[in-house]
Amino acid sequence: MTAPTTATDVNQPSLEHAPPTGRRMSWPVLLLVVAGALALVSIVRLVTGADGITNVSQMSTALQLAVPIGLAGLGGLWAERAGVVNIGLEGMLILGTWFGAWAGFQWGPWTGVLVGILGGALGGLLHAIVTVTFNVNHIVSGVAINILALGATRYLAPLAFEGHQGGSAKQSPAVESLGHFTVPGLSDALSDLNGKGWFFVSDVAGLLGGLVTNVSWLTLIAVALIPATWWILWRTAFGLRLRSCGENPIAAESLGVNVYKYKYLAVIISGGLAGLGGVFLSIVANPFYLEGQTSGRGYIGLAAMIFGNWMPGGLAIGAGLFGYTDSLNLRGGSANVHALLLLGALLLLIGAIWLAVRKKYVHAVITLVVGALVFAWYAGTNEVPNQVVSATPYVITLVVLALSAQRLRMPKADGMPYRKGQGK
């Protein structure tokens, strides 16, 4: 980011209302893309008969699975916007699951939420001390936190949970529910409309029905954090200063910004958000802590953040995509994944046409060949192995990152070492 020329510039968020430079979709174009994607999914549903890919239950499950991924990604966004790479999101998720369940079964679920956030923030504080104060490599610190969190919770779980009803060395006692809500009338109407199987309309009804049926209050909070993050980071002086630390900390320091303070705040908030994602796993998704329940969601959250180009809106779309593919494991996985092979083939065909229009003929031919192979797989089988179903979220993660790599623009000073006064 080009350094502002006066100190007053840092105090005026209007100078940086726009996100980082680069081509962005306008809202009308984005809505058209989403509508086109839904229409394509609807065609696949009608051709394959896999009604489960867009029903209300599938979408509700996808939303539930997307929340911890989105919260982890949001935590990564806060840290990296301040210039600190946070590979330790998985460990902070683990700390959130353990602390949330530990406090939740003793003092109630909302206390568990607060303590889980503090547990994740503790991991963030440790990461900040190691990377910001002692200038240790960010990747090394993050990996160490993941290992430390896993080891610490394995040590603490038997001490805290054994001897309590339902508790063991690997599982906490049950935690009371935070409660769920369903929008009366609207939920039933959308479910009925979804059940009619109409082209496009029923698919939209299934998507919207999943957002208003059996939704946890913590889900509502998590969704609200997406626009809240955008407003804080792109519409306030605090956010401008924080982002300047991730773009050009030397220029920010020359204008009076306490770079260390903002980096510390960003990484602690990052850990707290990841901790909240862990709380969701151990109180909402499951009413107890269970060793290994994060299942790599911290890493997928990091992938969602990168897919979203370090922006909250793109991150939310990425988390939704990964949550949806993860939900295939729980509801009609084999049949739904088999139907998605046809969707993948159609998307690759569209991609090949687009590349040909842009005169990238070699890429277009390769894409077309891959699409033909995927279609042959779909046409030659009636189902896919369970191993493929289980691996789908991770495969989608790799494919999405590979396809989006050309348009990514990370903060310029992300992961770079910084020492106070180094610009003098």
Side-chain angles (χ1 to χ4, degrees), residues 226-240:
I226 299 293
T229 291
W230 174 83
W231 184 82
I232 292 171
L233 292 183
W234 276 272
R235 286 293 186 269
T236 67
F238 170 83
L240 173 56

Side-chain angles (χ1 to χ4, degrees), residues 21-359:
T21 55
R23 297 182 64 183
R24 293 193 305 144
M25 285 187 182
S26 63
W27 277 107
V29 173
L30 180 60
L31 290 175
L32 283 174
V33 170
V34 172
L38 276 173
L40 202 59
V41 170
S42 186
I43 292 172
V44 169
R45 176 181 61 79
L46 291 172
V47 170
T48 62
D51 294 333
I53 61 176
T54 58
N55 65 24
V56 172
S57 297
Q58 184 77 53
M59 294 304 178
S60 180
T61 303
L63 176 63
Q64 186 178 83
L65 293 170
V67 168
I69 295 172
L71 287 171
L74 205 59
L77 185 147
W78 273 85
E80 299 207 12
R81 278 295 175 183
V84 179
V85 176
N86 193 356
I87 297 293
L89 291 169
E90 179 75 6
M92 296 168 198
L93 270 176
I94 293 172
L95 291 173
T97 60
W98 191 90
F99 279 100
W102 170 71
F105 90 87
Q106 297 184 86
W107 302 300
W110 287 109
T111 302
V113 171
L114 295 177
V115 175
I117 292 172
L118 291 175
L122 182 63
L125 176 61
L126 178 60
H127 189 48
I129 292 172
V130 173
T131 57
V132 179
T133 300
F134 294 101
N135 230 5
V136 173
N137 181 277
H138 299 189
I139 305 299
V140 172
S141 173
V143 171
I145 286 174
N146 291 339
I147 297 171
L148 180 63
L150 182 60
T153 52
R154 280 183 175 175
Y155 172 76
L156 292 171
L159 299 177
F161 302 143
E162 283 186 339
H164 296 276
Q165 184 177 1
S168 69
K170 295 186 177 182
Q171 180 177 316
S172 73
V175 181
E176 184 182 346
S177 173
L178 288 168
H180 296 76
F181 72 91
T182 296
V183 179
L186 180 60
S187 175
D188 292 335
L190 290 172
S191 295
D192 291 341
L193 192 58
N194 176 244
K196 294 184 181 298
W198 294 340
F199 171 73
F200 190 72
V201 175
S202 292
D203 301 284
V204 173
L207 175 61
L208 296 178
L211 302 179
V212 297
T213 303
N214 202 30
V215 179
S216 166
W217 293 107
L218 199 56
T219 300
L220 198 62
I221 294 172
V223 171
L225 286 171
I226 299 293
T229 291
W230 174 83
W231 184 82
I232 292 171
L233 292 183
W234 276 272
R235 286 293 186 269
T236 67
F238 170 83
L240 173 56
R241 296 189 189 103
L242 187 147
R243 287 185 296 115
S244 72
C245 296
E247 297 288 347
N248 194 332
I250 297 174
E253 180 191 345
S254 70
L255 295 170
V257 175
N258 187 333
V259 177
Y260 279 0
K261 181 183 79 171
Y262 280 92
K263 284 180 179 287
Y264 261 84
L265 285 173
V267 181
I268 291 171
I269 291 171
S270 172
L273 289 168
L276 182 60
V279 169
F280 189 92
L281 288 171
S282 62
I283 294 182
V284 177
N286 296 295
F288 48 80
Y289 161 82
L290 182 65
E291 185 179 301
Q293 70 190 136
T294 56
S295 300
R297 286 180 175 86
Y299 301 112
I300 299 179
L302 197 63
M305 178 204 69
I306 296 171
F307 165 79
N309 210 6
W310 288 265
M311 293 292 292
L315 182 157
I317 294 173
L321 173 63
F322 299 137
Y324 175 76
T325 55
D326 201 11
S327 71
L328 297 176
N329 288 324
L330 302 179
R331 295 185 176 275
S334 181
N336 290 341
V337 172
H338 183 258
L340 291 182
L341 289 176
L342 178 59
L343 176 62
L346 292 174
L347 289 173
L348 288 167
L349 174 62
I350 293 171
I353 295 172
W354 172 249
L355 289 169
V357 169
R358 299 181 66 186
K359 298 182 179 180

